[in-house]
mmCIF file of all heavy atoms in Angstrom:
data_model
loop_
_atom_site.group_PDB
_atom_site.id
_atom_site.type_symbol
_atom_site.label_atom_id
_atom_site.label_comp_id
_atom_site.label_asym_id
_atom_site.label_seq_id
_atom_site.Cartn_x
_atom_site.Cartn_y
_atom_site.Cartn_z
ATOM 1 N N LEU A 1 -7.703 -5.928 -29.206
ATOM 2 C CA LEU A 1 -6.350 -6.076 -28.697
ATOM 3 C C LEU A 1 -5.908 -4.791 -28.003
ATOM 4 O O LEU A 1 -6.374 -3.702 -28.338
ATOM 5 C CB LEU A 1 -5.405 -6.408 -29.864
ATOM 6 C CG LEU A 1 -5.685 -7.740 -30.576
ATOM 7 C CD1 LEU A 1 -4.755 -7.894 -31.775
ATOM 8 C CD2 LEU A 1 -5.508 -8.913 -29.631
ATOM 9 N N PRO A 2 -4.993 -4.894 -27.029
ATOM 10 C CA PRO A 2 -4.381 -6.138 -26.542
ATOM 11 C C PRO A 2 -5.297 -6.837 -25.529
ATOM 12 O O PRO A 2 -5.949 -6.178 -24.734
ATOM 13 C CB PRO A 2 -3.103 -5.651 -25.860
ATOM 14 C CG PRO A 2 -3.452 -4.280 -25.382
ATOM 15 C CD PRO A 2 -4.403 -3.705 -26.393
ATOM 16 N N PRO A 3 -5.344 -8.157 -25.541
ATOM 17 C CA PRO A 3 -6.256 -8.873 -24.643
ATOM 18 C C PRO A 3 -5.878 -8.732 -23.173
ATOM 19 O O PRO A 3 -6.729 -8.910 -22.305
ATOM 20 C CB PRO A 3 -6.124 -10.332 -25.104
ATOM 21 C CG PRO A 3 -4.793 -10.404 -25.787
ATOM 22 C CD PRO A 3 -4.604 -9.072 -26.424
ATOM 23 N N ASN A 4 -4.613 -8.410 -22.891
ATOM 24 C CA ASN A 4 -4.169 -8.265 -21.501
ATOM 25 C C ASN A 4 -3.962 -6.796 -21.128
ATOM 26 O O ASN A 4 -3.087 -6.465 -20.335
ATOM 27 C CB ASN A 4 -2.867 -9.042 -21.267
ATOM 28 C CG ASN A 4 -3.116 -10.540 -21.205
ATOM 29 O OD1 ASN A 4 -4.208 -10.966 -20.854
ATOM 30 N ND2 ASN A 4 -2.118 -11.321 -21.550
ATOM 31 N N ARG A 5 -4.791 -5.931 -21.687
ATOM 32 C CA ARG A 5 -4.614 -4.499 -21.437
ATOM 33 C C ARG A 5 -4.563 -4.155 -19.955
ATOM 34 O O ARG A 5 -3.766 -3.345 -19.513
ATOM 35 C CB ARG A 5 -5.749 -3.706 -22.105
ATOM 36 C CG ARG A 5 -5.620 -2.202 -21.902
ATOM 37 C CD ARG A 5 -6.849 -1.455 -22.372
ATOM 38 N NE ARG A 5 -7.974 -1.586 -21.451
ATOM 39 C CZ ARG A 5 -9.145 -0.990 -21.651
ATOM 40 N NH1 ARG A 5 -9.355 -0.276 -22.749
ATOM 41 N NH2 ARG A 5 -10.122 -1.134 -20.763
ATOM 42 N N GLY A 6 -5.442 -4.747 -19.191
ATOM 43 C CA GLY A 6 -5.554 -4.375 -17.786
ATOM 44 C C GLY A 6 -4.657 -5.146 -16.844
ATOM 45 O O GLY A 6 -4.688 -4.912 -15.633
ATOM 46 N N ARG A 7 -3.859 -6.068 -17.368
ATOM 47 C CA ARG A 7 -3.033 -6.910 -16.498
ATOM 48 C C ARG A 7 -2.049 -6.067 -15.702
ATOM 49 O O ARG A 7 -1.379 -5.183 -16.249
ATOM 50 C CB ARG A 7 -2.269 -7.935 -17.346
ATOM 51 C CG ARG A 7 -1.529 -8.960 -16.533
ATOM 52 C CD ARG A 7 -0.800 -9.938 -17.444
ATOM 53 N NE ARG A 7 -0.176 -10.999 -16.677
ATOM 54 C CZ ARG A 7 0.601 -11.943 -17.194
ATOM 55 N NH1 ARG A 7 0.844 -11.950 -18.496
ATOM 56 N NH2 ARG A 7 1.132 -12.872 -16.440
ATOM 57 N N TYR A 8 -1.976 -6.346 -14.395
ATOM 58 C CA TYR A 8 -1.115 -5.589 -13.470
ATOM 59 C C TYR A 8 -1.455 -4.099 -13.491
ATOM 60 O O TYR A 8 -0.591 -3.247 -13.389
ATOM 61 C CB TYR A 8 0.378 -5.810 -13.792
ATOM 62 C CG TYR A 8 0.777 -7.252 -13.795
ATOM 63 C CD1 TYR A 8 1.581 -7.760 -14.799
ATOM 64 C CD2 TYR A 8 0.316 -8.127 -12.813
ATOM 65 C CE1 TYR A 8 1.939 -9.102 -14.820
ATOM 66 C CE2 TYR A 8 0.666 -9.467 -12.826
ATOM 67 C CZ TYR A 8 1.475 -9.942 -13.825
ATOM 68 O OH TYR A 8 1.816 -11.271 -13.846
ATOM 69 N N TYR A 9 -2.724 -3.813 -13.665
ATOM 70 C CA TYR A 9 -3.183 -2.423 -13.683
ATOM 71 C C TYR A 9 -2.685 -1.696 -12.444
ATOM 72 O O TYR A 9 -2.733 -2.238 -11.345
ATOM 73 C CB TYR A 9 -4.715 -2.432 -13.702
ATOM 74 C CG TYR A 9 -5.343 -1.371 -14.570
ATOM 75 C CD1 TYR A 9 -5.043 -1.307 -15.926
ATOM 76 C CD2 TYR A 9 -6.246 -0.460 -14.046
ATOM 77 C CE1 TYR A 9 -5.639 -0.360 -16.727
ATOM 78 C CE2 TYR A 9 -6.857 0.487 -14.849
ATOM 79 C CZ TYR A 9 -6.543 0.538 -16.201
ATOM 80 O OH TYR A 9 -7.136 1.472 -16.987
ATOM 81 N N ASN A 10 -2.217 -0.484 -12.635
ATOM 82 C CA ASN A 10 -1.637 0.269 -11.518
ATOM 83 C C ASN A 10 -2.747 0.870 -10.655
ATOM 84 O O ASN A 10 -2.877 2.079 -10.534
ATOM 85 C CB ASN A 10 -0.712 1.362 -12.054
ATOM 86 C CG ASN A 10 0.061 2.042 -10.946
ATOM 87 O OD1 ASN A 10 0.262 1.477 -9.878
ATOM 88 N ND2 ASN A 10 0.488 3.259 -11.197
ATOM 89 N N HIS A 11 -3.571 0.007 -10.088
ATOM 90 C CA HIS A 11 -4.720 0.447 -9.305
ATOM 91 C C HIS A 11 -4.718 -0.138 -7.901
ATOM 92 O O HIS A 11 -5.740 -0.168 -7.248
ATOM 93 C CB HIS A 11 -6.027 0.049 -10.015
ATOM 94 C CG HIS A 11 -6.481 1.071 -11.009
ATOM 95 N ND1 HIS A 11 -7.729 1.052 -11.566
ATOM 96 C CD2 HIS A 11 -5.861 2.143 -11.530
ATOM 97 C CE1 HIS A 11 -7.865 2.067 -12.400
ATOM 98 N NE2 HIS A 11 -6.743 2.738 -12.403
ATOM 99 N N SER A 12 -3.573 -0.641 -7.443
ATOM 100 C CA SER A 12 -3.578 -1.296 -6.146
ATOM 101 C C SER A 12 -2.432 -0.820 -5.284
ATOM 102 O O SER A 12 -1.279 -0.850 -5.696
ATOM 103 C CB SER A 12 -3.488 -2.817 -6.319
ATOM 104 O OG SER A 12 -3.374 -3.432 -5.056
ATOM 105 N N GLY A 13 -2.758 -0.376 -4.084
ATOM 106 C CA GLY A 13 -1.744 -0.059 -3.084
ATOM 107 C C GLY A 13 -1.710 -1.142 -2.033
ATOM 108 O O GLY A 13 -1.613 -0.852 -0.846
ATOM 109 N N TYR A 14 -1.783 -2.386 -2.467
ATOM 110 C CA TYR A 14 -1.998 -3.504 -1.549
ATOM 111 C C TYR A 14 -0.940 -3.564 -0.446
ATOM 112 O O TYR A 14 -1.260 -3.755 0.724
ATOM 113 C CB TYR A 14 -2.027 -4.825 -2.324
ATOM 114 C CG TYR A 14 -2.410 -6.007 -1.472
ATOM 115 C CD1 TYR A 14 -3.745 -6.276 -1.194
ATOM 116 C CD2 TYR A 14 -1.446 -6.845 -0.938
ATOM 117 C CE1 TYR A 14 -4.113 -7.359 -0.412
ATOM 118 C CE2 TYR A 14 -1.804 -7.937 -0.148
ATOM 119 C CZ TYR A 14 -3.140 -8.178 0.112
ATOM 120 O OH TYR A 14 -3.497 -9.239 0.893
ATOM 121 N N ALA A 15 0.340 -3.422 -0.806
ATOM 122 C CA ALA A 15 1.399 -3.535 0.206
ATOM 123 C C ALA A 15 1.229 -2.473 1.292
ATOM 124 O O ALA A 15 1.444 -2.734 2.478
ATOM 125 C CB ALA A 15 2.774 -3.410 -0.447
ATOM 126 N N ASP A 16 0.823 -1.273 0.892
ATOM 127 C CA ASP A 16 0.642 -0.202 1.868
ATOM 128 C C ASP A 16 -0.487 -0.511 2.839
ATOM 129 O O ASP A 16 -0.442 -0.123 4.007
ATOM 130 C CB ASP A 16 0.382 1.125 1.151
ATOM 131 C CG ASP A 16 0.424 2.309 2.104
ATOM 132 O OD1 ASP A 16 1.441 2.456 2.799
ATOM 133 O OD2 ASP A 16 -0.559 3.057 2.165
ATOM 134 N N LEU A 17 -1.509 -1.210 2.335
ATOM 135 C CA LEU A 17 -2.622 -1.588 3.212
ATOM 136 C C LEU A 17 -2.161 -2.539 4.307
ATOM 137 O O LEU A 17 -2.707 -2.533 5.414
ATOM 138 C CB LEU A 17 -3.737 -2.236 2.396
ATOM 139 C CG LEU A 17 -4.345 -1.377 1.274
ATOM 140 C CD1 LEU A 17 -5.339 -2.192 0.472
ATOM 141 C CD2 LEU A 17 -4.988 -0.114 1.836
ATOM 142 N N ILE A 18 -1.161 -3.364 3.997
ATOM 143 C CA ILE A 18 -0.600 -4.265 4.993
ATOM 144 C C ILE A 18 0.298 -3.498 5.959
ATOM 145 O O ILE A 18 0.192 -3.629 7.186
ATOM 146 C CB ILE A 18 0.214 -5.394 4.314
ATOM 147 C CG1 ILE A 18 -0.665 -6.190 3.332
ATOM 148 C CG2 ILE A 18 0.842 -6.310 5.359
ATOM 149 C CD1 ILE A 18 -1.803 -6.938 3.957
ATOM 150 N N ILE A 19 1.182 -2.650 5.393
ATOM 151 C CA ILE A 19 2.218 -1.998 6.210
ATOM 152 C C ILE A 19 1.627 -0.936 7.135
ATOM 153 O O ILE A 19 1.874 -0.940 8.339
ATOM 154 C CB ILE A 19 3.304 -1.387 5.299
ATOM 155 C CG1 ILE A 19 4.038 -2.505 4.543
ATOM 156 C CG2 ILE A 19 4.301 -0.569 6.117
ATOM 157 C CD1 ILE A 19 4.925 -2.008 3.420
ATOM 158 N N THR A 20 0.844 -0.014 6.576
ATOM 159 C CA THR A 20 0.323 1.084 7.401
ATOM 160 C C THR A 20 -1.030 0.772 8.016
ATOM 161 O O THR A 20 -1.418 1.406 8.995
ATOM 162 C CB THR A 20 0.203 2.385 6.584
ATOM 163 O OG1 THR A 20 -0.788 2.212 5.557
ATOM 164 C CG2 THR A 20 1.531 2.757 5.947
ATOM 165 N N GLY A 21 -1.752 -0.203 7.429
ATOM 166 C CA GLY A 21 -3.073 -0.545 7.937
ATOM 167 C C GLY A 21 -3.058 -1.736 8.864
ATOM 168 O O GLY A 21 -3.126 -1.597 10.085
ATOM 169 N N LEU A 22 -2.921 -2.921 8.299
ATOM 170 C CA LEU A 22 -3.041 -4.150 9.092
ATOM 171 C C LEU A 22 -1.977 -4.228 10.184
ATOM 172 O O LEU A 22 -2.270 -4.522 11.342
ATOM 173 C CB LEU A 22 -2.951 -5.363 8.177
ATOM 174 C CG LEU A 22 -3.384 -6.694 8.795
ATOM 175 C CD1 LEU A 22 -4.885 -6.694 9.082
ATOM 176 C CD2 LEU A 22 -3.027 -7.862 7.885
ATOM 177 N N ILE A 23 -0.711 -3.953 9.820
ATOM 178 C CA ILE A 23 0.369 -3.990 10.808
ATOM 179 C C ILE A 23 0.482 -2.659 11.543
ATOM 180 O O ILE A 23 0.849 -2.622 12.715
ATOM 181 C CB ILE A 23 1.684 -4.413 10.134
ATOM 182 C CG1 ILE A 23 1.553 -5.876 9.677
ATOM 183 C CG2 ILE A 23 2.882 -4.233 11.060
ATOM 184 C CD1 ILE A 23 2.725 -6.407 8.895
ATOM 185 N N GLY A 24 0.162 -1.573 10.868
ATOM 186 C CA GLY A 24 -0.079 -0.327 11.591
ATOM 187 C C GLY A 24 1.089 0.609 11.793
ATOM 188 O O GLY A 24 1.094 1.375 12.755
ATOM 189 N N ILE A 25 2.083 0.600 10.897
ATOM 190 C CA ILE A 25 3.135 1.622 10.980
ATOM 191 C C ILE A 25 2.547 2.929 10.468
ATOM 192 O O ILE A 25 2.260 3.074 9.286
ATOM 193 C CB ILE A 25 4.374 1.226 10.141
ATOM 194 C CG1 ILE A 25 4.979 -0.078 10.656
ATOM 195 C CG2 ILE A 25 5.404 2.344 10.161
ATOM 196 C CD1 ILE A 25 6.155 -0.574 9.832
ATOM 197 N N ARG A 26 2.369 3.879 11.370
ATOM 198 C CA ARG A 26 1.746 5.157 11.000
ATOM 199 C C ARG A 26 2.826 6.246 10.992
ATOM 200 O O ARG A 26 3.244 6.725 12.045
ATOM 201 C CB ARG A 26 0.638 5.510 11.990
ATOM 202 C CG ARG A 26 -0.412 4.431 12.165
ATOM 203 C CD ARG A 26 -1.232 4.198 10.908
ATOM 204 N NE ARG A 26 -2.370 5.091 10.822
ATOM 205 C CZ ARG A 26 -3.269 5.044 9.841
ATOM 206 N NH1 ARG A 26 -3.142 4.164 8.883
ATOM 207 N NH2 ARG A 26 -4.264 5.885 9.813
ATOM 208 N N PRO A 27 3.321 6.633 9.800
ATOM 209 C CA PRO A 27 4.409 7.619 9.720
ATOM 210 C C PRO A 27 4.048 8.941 10.359
ATOM 211 O O PRO A 27 2.890 9.352 10.395
ATOM 212 C CB PRO A 27 4.607 7.781 8.206
ATOM 213 C CG PRO A 27 4.107 6.504 7.618
ATOM 214 C CD PRO A 27 2.938 6.120 8.483
ATOM 215 N N SER A 28 5.062 9.624 10.881
ATOM 216 C CA SER A 28 4.844 10.912 11.520
ATOM 217 C C SER A 28 6.027 11.830 11.249
ATOM 218 O O SER A 28 7.095 11.379 10.842
ATOM 219 C CB SER A 28 4.611 10.727 13.012
ATOM 220 O OG SER A 28 5.696 11.087 13.776
ATOM 221 N N ALA A 29 5.811 13.127 11.462
ATOM 222 C CA ALA A 29 6.848 14.118 11.172
ATOM 223 C C ALA A 29 7.914 14.173 12.251
ATOM 224 O O ALA A 29 9.021 14.658 12.003
ATOM 225 C CB ALA A 29 6.207 15.500 11.003
ATOM 226 N N ASP A 30 7.619 13.685 13.434
ATOM 227 C CA ASP A 30 8.613 13.774 14.499
ATOM 228 C C ASP A 30 9.312 12.432 14.676
ATOM 229 O O ASP A 30 9.150 11.504 13.894
ATOM 230 C CB ASP A 30 7.991 14.281 15.811
ATOM 231 C CG ASP A 30 6.922 13.342 16.362
ATOM 232 O OD1 ASP A 30 6.969 12.137 16.040
ATOM 233 O OD2 ASP A 30 6.055 13.799 17.115
ATOM 234 N N GLU A 31 10.128 12.343 15.712
ATOM 235 C CA GLU A 31 10.966 11.161 15.917
ATOM 236 C C GLU A 31 10.262 10.053 16.693
ATOM 237 O O GLU A 31 10.871 9.029 17.008
ATOM 238 C CB GLU A 31 12.262 11.559 16.646
ATOM 239 C CG GLU A 31 12.048 12.268 17.956
ATOM 240 C CD GLU A 31 11.984 13.782 17.820
ATOM 241 O OE1 GLU A 31 11.550 14.275 16.758
ATOM 242 O OE2 GLU A 31 12.347 14.476 18.777
ATOM 243 N N ARG A 32 8.999 10.257 16.993
ATOM 244 C CA ARG A 32 8.237 9.220 17.685
ATOM 245 C C ARG A 32 7.575 8.301 16.665
ATOM 246 O O ARG A 32 6.900 8.746 15.741
ATOM 247 C CB ARG A 32 7.193 9.833 18.611
ATOM 248 C CG ARG A 32 6.330 8.794 19.340
ATOM 249 C CD ARG A 32 5.626 9.391 20.528
ATOM 250 N NE ARG A 32 6.571 9.652 21.612
ATOM 251 C CZ ARG A 32 6.945 8.749 22.505
ATOM 252 N NH1 ARG A 32 6.482 7.516 22.438
ATOM 253 N NH2 ARG A 32 7.799 9.066 23.446
ATOM 254 N N LEU A 33 7.776 7.006 16.835
ATOM 255 C CA LEU A 33 7.200 5.992 15.960
ATOM 256 C C LEU A 33 6.042 5.314 16.682
ATOM 257 O O LEU A 33 6.187 4.855 17.814
ATOM 258 C CB LEU A 33 8.262 4.949 15.594
ATOM 259 C CG LEU A 33 7.766 3.677 14.897
ATOM 260 C CD1 LEU A 33 7.240 4.013 13.502
ATOM 261 C CD2 LEU A 33 8.881 2.643 14.819
ATOM 262 N N THR A 34 4.906 5.255 16.001
ATOM 263 C CA THR A 34 3.727 4.611 16.575
ATOM 264 C C THR A 34 3.286 3.450 15.692
ATOM 265 O O THR A 34 3.167 3.592 14.473
ATOM 266 C CB THR A 34 2.571 5.612 16.729
ATOM 267 O OG1 THR A 34 2.973 6.667 17.609
ATOM 268 C CG2 THR A 34 1.337 4.929 17.300
ATOM 269 N N ILE A 35 3.068 2.312 16.303
ATOM 270 C CA ILE A 35 2.527 1.130 15.627
ATOM 271 C C ILE A 35 1.148 0.866 16.208
ATOM 272 O O ILE A 35 1.001 0.652 17.407
ATOM 273 C CB ILE A 35 3.415 -0.117 15.849
ATOM 274 C CG1 ILE A 35 4.887 0.198 15.567
ATOM 275 C CG2 ILE A 35 2.921 -1.284 15.008
ATOM 276 C CD1 ILE A 35 5.234 0.364 14.126
ATOM 277 N N ARG A 36 0.117 0.893 15.334
ATOM 278 C CA ARG A 36 -1.252 0.633 15.778
ATOM 279 C C ARG A 36 -1.842 -0.463 14.889
ATOM 280 O O ARG A 36 -2.530 -0.171 13.905
ATOM 281 C CB ARG A 36 -2.098 1.906 15.720
ATOM 282 C CG ARG A 36 -1.733 2.956 16.733
ATOM 283 C CD ARG A 36 -2.793 4.038 16.854
ATOM 284 N NE ARG A 36 -2.847 4.872 15.671
ATOM 285 C CZ ARG A 36 -2.159 5.987 15.504
ATOM 286 N NH1 ARG A 36 -1.322 6.402 16.459
ATOM 287 N NH2 ARG A 36 -2.258 6.702 14.394
#
């Protein structure tokens, strides 16, 4: 026990992979916004 120890394990940045990767919002220090 517990049988669900690993449930919702904090090992995934899945949303970030969509936002900065697949859709491509790449944050920057200046005021220019780039979407790739």
Side-chain angles (χ1 to χ4, degrees):
L1 297 175
N4 286 334
R5 181 189 75 179
R7 187 180 185 185
Y8 304 136
Y9 218 58
N10 188 24
H11 273 193
S12 175
Y14 187 81
D16 190 55
L17 301 175
I18 302 296
I19 295 168
T20 65
L22 194 67
I23 293 175
I25 299 177
R26 306 294 273 183
S28 105
D30 63 25
E31 56 269 30
R32 178 162 288 275
L33 169 67
T34 299
I35 311 287
R36 291 194 290 269

